[in-house]
Amino acid sequence: MTFPPSFHEAFMRLALREAAQAARAGEVPAGCVIIHQPDAPDALPAGVPLIGRAHNQTELLKDPTAHAEMLAITQAASAVGDWRLTDTILYVTKEPCPMCAGAIILARIPVVVFGLADPKRGGGTVFNLFNHPGINHHPLILSGVLESDCRETLTAFFRTCRDGGMAKPGEKLKTES
């Protein structure tokens, strides 16, 4: 089913809010939300159930698997009572890494929307996991949604880190009040 760009942008803005929370905590600012896919292409975002929401927490949890997508997938599976997340859409600010791409494939998430490609570690663009011929599930990938906002979020975070303003988990960045 095709939704208008404004539909996807509304949920990417929620993912960007999650990314901002990660940045404030000193985490790489990636955010993710998962929704139930609406039955009608003219559905309003306000009426769509949000079943998973997370941001990176690898530093806080001291867990290399605590990526936004992994945490949101766990929440969504709990919300629906099944590990199969068919009839969902996953929104994430940065292209999923290979680990997250694998989890997306295993969870049978049919649509993945991301803002910014990851030319070094992208699970789809670099490692071709989403389209690999040996995989039995190939999600539809929509990229570039609010790409400039997603890029600015990451760029600002790493600029702050280089300038010595990196926060420790649980502390605010020096550039914020």
Side-chain angles (χ1 to χ4, degrees):
M1 181 175 314
T2 304
F3 297 98
S6 60
F7 181 88
H8 295 305
E9 290 169 1
F11 291 104
M12 188 60 73
R13 283 188 189 88
L14 293 177
L16 279 162
R17 287 185 197 159
E18 289 292 325
Q21 287 184 32
R24 286 191 296 272
E27 301 276 359
V28 172
C32 179
V33 298
I34 301 175
I35 64 167
H36 272 294
Q37 188 169 341
D39 294 330
D42 60 348
L44 298 175
V48 176
L50 187 67
I51 59 172
R53 157 186 287 202
H55 54 274
N56 278 358
Q57 296 182 44
T58 55
E59 297 294 336
L60 175 69
L61 299 176
K62 308 293 185 227
D63 180 354
T65 69
H67 290 196
E69 300 96 322
M70 300 294 282
L71 298 170
I73 288 169
T74 299
Q75 285 180 10
S78 179
V80 301
D82 195 349
W83 61 268
R84 292 172 195 87
L85 297 177
T86 58
D87 303 323
T88 64
I89 302 175
L90 181 145
Y91 293 87
V92 65
T93 55
K94 186 177 73 63
E95 179 182 6
C97 73
M99 173 184 68
C100 295
I104 288 165
I105 291 164
L106 290 172
R108 313 296 197 274
I109 295 172
V111 181
V112 175
V113 181
F114 67 83
L116 182 64
D118 184 344
K120 293 183 179 181
R121 294 174 217 76
T125 57
V126 176
F127 294 97
N128 193 37
L129 293 176
F130 293 127
N131 292 314
H132 191 280
I135 301 291
N136 65 339
H137 174 71
H138 300 108
L140 171 67
I141 306 297
L142 301 172
S143 62
V145 175
L146 298 182
E147 181 176 5
S148 61
D149 294 340
C150 295
R151 177 177 283 110
E152 178 54 31
T153 298
L154 279 167
T155 302
F157 175 78
F158 287 114
R159 185 181 315 116
T160 301
C161 292
R162 281 191 304 277
D163 293 345
M166 176 72 170
K168 293 180 181 170
E171 295 179 350
K172 291 187 176 187
L173 293 175
K174 291 179 183 176
T175 59
E176 295 184 346
S177 52

